[in-house]
Amino acid sequence: MLKRTLTCGDLRAADDGRQVTLNGWAYRRRDHGNIIFIDLRDRYGVTQVVITQDAAEAYAAAEKVRSEFVLAVRGTVRLRPAGMENPGLDTGDVEVVVSELVVENAAKPLPFEIRDDVEANEYTRLKYRYLDLRRPRLQENIILRHRSVKLMRDYMDEHGFLEIETPILTKSTPEGARDYLVPSRVHPGKFYALPQSPQQFKQLLMVAGFDRYFQIARCFRDEDLRADRQPEFTQLDVEMSFVDQEDVIDLISGLCRQQVAELTAAAAPSLPFPRLTYAEAMDRYGSDKPDIRFGLELQNLGDLLSDTGVGFLKAALAAGNQVKALRGPGLATLSGQKLRERVKAYEEVVRIYGAKGLAWLDFPADGESAPKSPIAKFFNTDELAAIAERCQAEPGDVVFIVADTGKVVAAALGELRLRIARDQDLIAPGQFAFLWVVDFPLVDWNEDENRWDAMHHPFTSPKPEDIDRMESDPASVRANAYDIVLNGVELGGGSIRIHQRDVQERMFKLLGHSPEATALKFGHMLDAFEFGTPPHGGIALGIDRFIMLLASEQSIREVVAFPKNQQAVEPMTGTPDVVDTAQLDMLGIRLVSIEKKETP
RNA sequence: GGGCCCGUGGUGUAGUCGGCUAACAUACUGGCCUGUCAAGCCAGAGAUCGCGGGUUCGAGCCCCGUCGGGCCCGCCA
């Protein structure tokens, strides 16, 4: 083959006169008759090559070139004629006059065009992912991902961390997400599980004295997919010994700051990152991962309405429910028709999160007209004024009210808050608003199973001042747990771990595990805690999500080379797929037909 | 398990109060053209409108079912 002497991103005016050979893909071809331009593309850039009848053989070949042919060209670099430079290309001052052109591989018409401004159906994109990945946008995302991970590795190395691999074939654990299982051929009837995270191994590395560990770790969870959830994903997994929460927060804040500073056009976010307790976050934003790029905080109205005559609010407060409000800036300036449509859409939003209704009060822009809200007349003047003051509602605003259990109010208004911010364009692009959420509850009551679940995971330590209430009032026990949030996306979370056997046993007991089950599943952890375990803690960052945000993408599939679709299918290879009976026989596995849903 | 939205030439879209001989752009094929850079101009081919059924004189459009996809709820220690 005709090997390149440099890449399609290299040539500059100073290279005028050089003999060069380029390899690449025919990105665009412009045939003027007797002169043909081809933009030759590789991952480094685009270079214009020119073919004329002066090189008759090359010209004949160039006439047959189509999009995405792989070419090798030999020729001479020359400055473009005055006025013909292309400032849009790094190589735009020059072009290569071709003396020899070789078609290394032709290409059939493509299933979609290789360009950023035409978005093909995502199934087609995934089926031909190798073509999708040629598009500049995905090339940039994948390159950004490389740089991000490289930067993380260097940062961790500079801070004294060791990168250590942990098993992919490991043991199924009863807690948390569904495991992906791998049958053992050597032990028919037994199974490995793919790790949901390297949690136990990294803690045991602390017991082993490795002190500062990290890993770019692939994790697997067999749960339903979302735009920000793939069944396999990558974490920056970190664990440290002889540290407290502040050490972990400092370390990771610095890493995040560096990522933004070095990989985006945004200014480095200032340290320390803002911090909220879980209780504050839920109260003020209705979310444990608040987007703090805009205001619109939730306001409690309960105390203002203790004597209200408004029936549904009175009833809600009497039942011990919450009444909270959210300001919709400028919404009262919409026409009656538009406002009704908007309210209807917002009712739909809160309904999804369990709210039975959405009340609204408009404050007319002129400060005089009668409100359009059908319920405004039930409030007395003092109440309206108090609500406006509490919500800092100006003339022209609408205030939305949800009365329900604390959980429903938070979820409904928390989500509505995001929706209003988007609709009213309150989020300026290009921001990276980090936030630490701390003091998570240790456990969470599971209504369905009638038991306590670990909010983070069962190895998370309770706050020393709360530990005495683990048995008497578990809901009030706070954990040494922390999450880092970026632009309303949960980037990662961690905790200071339990390192004492008795505390760990109390935790398992609280979670409803019998001593026998605990010994069977977690005996190795409990044993380790009796052989000199240092105080330790750590964190894991979702790398896919981080890069999605750095790249301003809406889905982590845009930053994963070969992602699965929402049905957990990878359309290119056709994964998952059936296997030979012989393979199953070897594993001692027999398939039973999956029961069809019964028809009523 | 559930909710909402979307399936129209290869690709992206329009057409959705029923009248279509299915439109536009691009890609594709052929022709013209020596300075373009999303090149341009001319001509051409290419779609049983995801699939099945129904309503109707007539269905891309309405109804029912089904398949595929996206977003979300549940789920995700």
Side-chain angles (χ1 to χ4, degrees), chain A residues 244-310:
Chain A
D244 59 23
Q245 173 170 303
E246 298 308 314
D247 296 306
V248 180
I249 286 180
D250 284 350
L251 175 85
I252 297 302
S253 296
L255 180 143
C256 290
R257 181 177 193 275
Q258 185 191 45
Q259 290 273 316
V260 171
E262 305 234 346
L263 301 176
T264 77
S270 52
L271 296 172
F273 294 159
R275 205 181 283 202
L276 287 173
T277 66
Y278 172 84
E280 280 177 314
M282 294 306 291
D283 181 51
R284 291 168 56 189
Y285 299 96
S287 168
D288 64 356
K289 47 182 169 72
D291 190 338
I292 56 166
R293 286 176 296 174
F294 59 97
L296 298 192
E297 295 188 17
L298 278 46
Q299 303 295 339
N300 189 21
L301 301 185
D303 58 310
L304 300 180
L305 300 170
S306 47
D307 296 320
T308 188
V310 182

Side-chain angles (χ1 to χ4, degrees), chain A residues 294 415-427:
Chain A
F294 59 97
E415 196 60 32
L416 183 58
R417 176 177 173 269
L418 299 176
R419 175 63 183 269
I420 290 175
R422 278 196 297 273
D423 286 350
Q424 298 303 97
D425 214 15
L426 302 180
I427 305 172

Side-chain angles (χ1 to χ4, degrees), chain A residues 166-178:
Chain A
T166 55
I168 291 294
L169 296 176
T170 179
K171 182 166 165 168
S172 182
T173 49
E175 300 260 345
R178 271 185 289 273

